[in-house]
Amino acid sequence: MNNPLLQAKNIIKTYNEDKIRTNVLKGVNIDIYSNELTAIVGKSGSGKSTLLHILGTLDKADSGEIFYKGEELLKLSDKKKAVFRNIHLGFVYQFHHLLSDFSALENVMMPMLIAGINKNEAKKKALELLEKVSLSEKANSRPSELSGGQRQRVAIARALANSPELILADEPTGNLDEKNALMVFSLFEKLVKEDKIAVVIVTHDNSLSEKCDRVYTMKDGIINE
Ligand code: ADP
Ligand code: MG
């Protein structure tokens, strides 16, 4: 049995808003393995996005521990968390969040330029990534000139820019028709199989989650496999 890439233990998260307490995560335990496509399912409002943000160190838990290759993440300073995210993680959301004034190629280059990679190298890698998501011919198109599925594939190429080991995808197919949803899902399957990237996908679509290697269900603030 191999060790989990990421292991969360007893994660507790409560929101306090307008004097209303919402106990969203009541002690969540979850293991994410390399070479696996992991699904997180559960009703709307059950805390899936909250959990994903905490696993990705974008949001703070009230208590609990998150180990990444055995290293405790929640103890890191905010600065170190940001460095950790840049090196190890890729994020994909329901809405693509591409920059509308930039081409597909420039959008994929952006995280590399921010990370200090020189322009020629960033361009070369971005072209390879667009090829990986079967969009080479759209390199110079703006997001407005692409279909929803194509935009989402550009967003995935962008998430891959700094060669992450783990991709966290929050309802990445939620906005797509069945055909495009399948295409995006197949791409995640390929990343897991061919590139040994761990992918966590939040989805409402049972036909997709049942094809995943591991499925966790959020309910009443806890998660079960
Ligand atoms: P899901 O992604 O499963 O739909 P969320 O994690 O978005 O669920 O939300 C879980 C619960 O936490 C919901 O009841 C939601 O209203 C509440 N919630 C989420 N974010 C906040 C916030 N920033 N402040 C207050 N309550 C929040
Ligand atoms: Mg959500």
Side-chain angles (χ1 to χ4, degrees):
M1 188 69 190
N2 57 342
N3 294 323
L5 175 66
L6 186 148
Q7 186 168 43
K9 289 188 174 174
N10 206 19
I11 301 294
I12 294 179
K13 176 74 176 177
T14 302
Y15 287 116
N16 286 300
E17 209 175 32
D18 302 328
K19 294 183 185 155
I20 299 171
R21 270 173 77 88
T22 315
N23 300 315
V24 185
L25 306 178
K26 299 179 187 168
V28 166
N29 297 295
I30 185 168
D31 293 340
I32 308 297
Y33 292 89
S34 295
N35 313 345
E36 281 193 8
L37 183 49
T38 300
I40 299 178
V41 302
K43 286 200 185 113
S44 187
S46 62
K48 305 181 298 297
S49 295
T50 301
L51 176 61
L52 218 59
H53 287 148
I54 290 172
L55 295 181
T57 73
L58 289 166
D59 199 357
K60 288 193 166 81
D62 299 335
S63 62
E65 295 169 305
I66 300 178
F67 296 96
Y68 188 88
K69 292 181 178 170
E71 184 189 8
E72 230 287 52
L73 290 186
L74 298 181
K75 290 202 179 118
L76 298 178
S77 65
D78 287 350
K79 206 169 169 183
K80 283 196 169 153
K81 279 181 191 160
V83 171
F84 165 80
R85 285 195 296 276
N86 286 341
I87 295 174
H88 299 289
L89 305 188
F91 294 92
V92 180
Y93 298 95
Q94 181 171 0
F95 300 99
H96 54 81
H97 299 300
L98 297 174
L99 299 170
S100 57
D101 290 338
F102 293 89
S103 68
L105 180 69
E106 289 164 334
N107 268 284
V108 179
M109 285 171 68
M110 203 66 73
M112 292 185 258
L113 297 178
I114 291 169
I117 294 170
N118 81 57
K119 210 169 167 184
N120 285 335
E121 205 177 311
K123 186 173 177 183
K124 184 166 168 268
K125 174 111 188 256
L127 285 168
E128 286 168 13
L129 290 171
L130 286 172
E131 169 134 39
K132 188 184 269 297
V133 302
S134 311
L135 282 177
S136 300
E137 79 282 11
K138 299 289 183 188
N140 296 315
S141 302
R142 300 253 177 124
S144 61
E145 298 165 323
L146 302 173
S147 73
Q150 289 172 337
R151 282 178 210 153
Q152 204 54 314
R153 278 147 60 203
V154 175
I156 293 169
R158 181 184 54 182
L160 292 169
N162 290 327
S163 308
E165 295 166 325
L166 170 63
I167 290 198
L168 299 172
D170 196 353
E171 303 198 37
T173 65
N175 221 16
L176 303 177
D177 61 33
E178 198 183 326
K179 179 171 154 257
N180 279 298
L182 251 183
M183 204 183 266
V184 163
F185 184 79
S186 307
L187 187 54
F188 285 129
E189 288 183 311
K190 192 168 92 172
L191 295 177
V192 173
K193 278 205 195 84
E194 293 178 9
D195 301 307
K196 314 294 179 209
I197 294 172
V199 176
V200 179
I201 174 177
V202 170
T203 180
H204 282 290
D205 188 337
N206 287 335
S207 71
L208 298 183
S209 62
E210 70 192 14
K211 285 194 266 190
C212 291
D213 300 303
R214 200 179 290 270
V215 182
Y216 289 101
T217 306
M218 278 291 302
K219 196 178 171 225
D220 301 327
I222 55 165
I223 204 162
N224 283 306
E225 194 176 333

